Amino acid sequence: MTVAIIRNIQLYRWSRFLRSLIFWQAVWFLYFQNVLSATEAILLYAVYDVATTLLEVPSGYMSDRLGRKKTLIASAIAGLGGSFLLAIGDSFAVFAAGQVLIGASMAFASGTDEAMLYESLAATGRADEIETQEIIAWRYSFSALALSALTGGALALIDPRLPFVGGALAFGGLFWITMRFVEPPRNSATNEGCPLYTPTPP
């Protein structure tokens, strides 16, 4: 079990890399405008923002009750489904559904992946490494953002749907990584030492 939990720490940085492969980050507005009006395109961003905000609290409850791994699996599946809908979308309703799923994906992961990392470190007696491991993960994340910004624009020149197809593939990879996680042990003493921990009301 200890070896598997140590593997969580290595997998975590790659999960952050794959989650940050946002190939559409520079082209999403133009892509939506090919089908929708500028107002509708802007509204779609609001749909994503509202969905992410509304699902933050339920996702925290889900993470505490169902477990970190299951919540992160749900995040990967939602991201995959959302990217797919955005790639094939031809109406505001389909795009909005895709944005809701992408928002759900971000909400499910928010705090849950950091808790997974901390609890894995704590279970192996390495809780004091949390900042170091987070810095490593951020480097992976920033590298993915830079890589996807460059390649996303190139993909859009070939076909405007390709950045979203690339995003779907990235979420597919994230799902595979997440399935390899092992649920770390949790107890109040361990969780209260984590700066990200917020107790769930009884």
Side-chain angles (χ1 to χ4, degrees), residues 76-112:
I77 292 172
L80 175 58
S83 300
F84 176 75
L85 288 179
L86 294 177
I88 66 169
D90 58 359
S91 68
F92 180 84
V94 175
F95 286 141
Q99 289 288 77
V100 168
L101 286 174
I102 295 292
S105 176
M106 296 302 109
F108 290 155
S110 178
T112 302

Side-chain angles (χ1 to χ4, degrees), residues 25-26 31 34 38 57 63 68-69 74 84 138 140 154 172 181 184 198:
Q25 58 185 289
Y31 175 71
N34 286 335
V57 173
S63 177
R68 312 307 186 197
K69 180 176 178 177
F84 176 75
W138 275 111
Y140 275 64
F181 278 132
T198 302

Side-chain angles (χ1 to χ4, degrees), residues 15 17-24 72-84 86 101-106 109 163-178:
S15 73
F17 178 87
L18 290 165
R19 191 180 300 283
S20 298
L21 287 176
I22 310 173
F23 295 101
W24 60 76
L72 291 174
I73 288 172
S75 172
I77 292 172
L80 175 58
S83 300
F84 176 75
L86 294 177
L101 286 174
I102 295 292
S105 176
M106 296 302 109
F164 299 94
V165 173
L169 292 174
F171 276 112
L174 179 61
F175 175 78
W176 181 77
I177 288 286
T178 305

Side-chain angles (χ1 to χ4, degrees), residues 37-119:
S37 67
T39 300
E40 289 175 319
I42 293 172
L43 185 57
L44 282 174
Y45 183 82
V47 169
Y48 162 80
D49 205 34
V50 170
T52 305
T53 302
L54 290 179
L55 289 169
E56 280 286 346
V57 173
S59 68
Y61 183 85
M62 178 179 175
S63 177
D64 284 342
R65 295 304 182 190
L66 298 183
R68 312 307 186 197
K69 180 176 178 177
K70 289 180 180 178
T71 305
L72 291 174
I73 288 172
S75 172
I77 292 172
L80 175 58
S83 300
F84 176 75
L85 288 179
L86 294 177
I88 66 169
D90 58 359
S91 68
F92 180 84
V94 175
F95 286 141
Q99 289 288 77
V100 168
L101 286 174
I102 295 292
S105 176
M106 296 302 109
F108 290 155
S110 178
T112 302
D113 55 357
E114 291 95 339
M116 167 74 82
L117 173 65
Y118 181 82
E119 290 163 358

